[in-house]
Amino acid sequence: MLGRRFRERGPAPGPAPTSTRLKAEGLRPLLLEASDLGKGVRSLDPDPDKGSGESLVTGGGPKDCEALEPYGLDGPIDELIGTEDSATRAFSRDGGLLSQRLYSRMPASMSDRMNKAFAALTACPEYSELLVLGDQGTAESLVKTRAIEVKGVEGRTYGYERTVMDRELRSPNRMMTIAVTRGWTTVMLTGSPDFVKEALEPALRKATQ
């Protein structure tokens, strides 16, 4: 009887993404597609040959925020978390942008990296950011940050919101970053708050279940 019960269950399933380490090629199929996010969303394929040469911004970085100044305009995520064993994809909708990154790391190591990165991101509730625009001069913005508590989500969560206010135009731009770690897999989303909130559940479902 016992042997028949085991046979009826069939072969054991393979390891889930959250319980094994994946390389970038293994993570890419777990990224969202535009079709996962509803109407009006299109995928943006980054071109590695198009570097920062197309950007007007040639330098600058945070001012009056000691925790962020060492990381410049790019911020602490890539430097503190790293880019190995990760995969990225970006989307647009009605002018809004969303970027997704998947990581596959040892849980203890990832927790340490994420804690350090998000601590730096939220260390200064308000600071100035200077942009150097090549031969067009400079622009200075007021940046406000706040930590976000991510509720109702299984896993270790991290979140913060960044609001940039142009000192001349006074036009606020809000961006949210939410990351969720389940085992070896971390899902990170950055973009407009509504876009991030809508994408979180399908992103977690596809990458970790």
Side-chain angles (χ1 to χ4, degrees):
M1 177 67 72
L2 185 60
R4 187 171 77 246
R5 287 178 180 170
F6 276 109
R7 287 196 298 271
E8 289 173 350
R9 292 178 182 174
T18 55
S19 62
T20 188
R21 186 168 187 170
L22 300 175
K23 296 294 186 181
E25 57 269 21
L27 289 169
R28 289 189 191 103
L30 304 177
L31 289 165
L32 289 168
E33 302 283 351
S35 58
D36 298 320
L37 296 171
K39 295 181 179 180
V41 177
R42 65 187 184 94
S43 179
L44 302 177
D45 295 323
D47 186 346
D49 295 328
K50 293 180 179 181
S52 58
E54 292 192 350
S55 174
L56 292 175
V57 180
T58 60
K63 298 170 57 182
D64 310 318
C65 183
E66 186 177 350
L68 286 176
E69 287 174 2
Y71 307 109
L73 280 173
D74 293 334
I77 288 180
D78 280 353
E79 184 165 337
L80 292 179
I81 300 177
T83 58
E84 73 277 6
D85 296 334
S86 68
T88 62
R89 188 162 290 161
F91 306 90
S92 69
R93 181 183 67 186
D94 298 330
L97 299 176
L98 174 75
S99 67
Q100 178 190 17
R101 176 169 286 173
L102 297 182
Y103 301 90
S104 186
R105 305 279 175 74
M106 183 182 295
S109 172
M110 193 59 173
S111 177
D112 182 61
R113 297 184 194 199
M114 296 290 281
N115 285 333
K116 289 178 180 178
F118 277 81
L121 290 167
T122 58
C124 302
E126 185 173 311
Y127 60 92
S128 297
E129 186 171 75
L130 181 68
L131 303 181
V132 179
L133 308 175
D135 56 5
Q136 299 185 31
T138 62
E140 188 169 320
S141 300
L142 176 67
V143 180
K144 295 185 178 182
T145 68
R146 67 184 184 97
I148 295 173
E149 183 180 356
V150 184
K151 298 181 179 180
V153 177
E154 179 186 351
R156 194 174 185 92
T157 61
Y158 312 83
Y160 96 110
E161 186 175 87
R162 182 177 191 266
T163 302
V164 180
M165 182 80 74
D166 187 285
R167 291 190 181 278
E168 294 181 0
L169 300 179
R170 310 304 298 173
S171 54
N173 178 29
R174 293 171 61 220
M175 299 290 283
M176 177 182 288
T177 297
I178 290 178
V180 181
T181 296
R182 294 178 179 174
W184 287 74
T185 303
T186 297
V187 177
M188 181 182 290
L189 299 173
T190 298
S192 63
D194 288 343
F195 210 167
V196 169
K197 292 174 185 177
E198 293 171 20
L200 183 59
E201 192 275 335
L204 288 171
R205 183 175 63 248
K206 189 168 187 178
T208 67
Q209 295 181 6

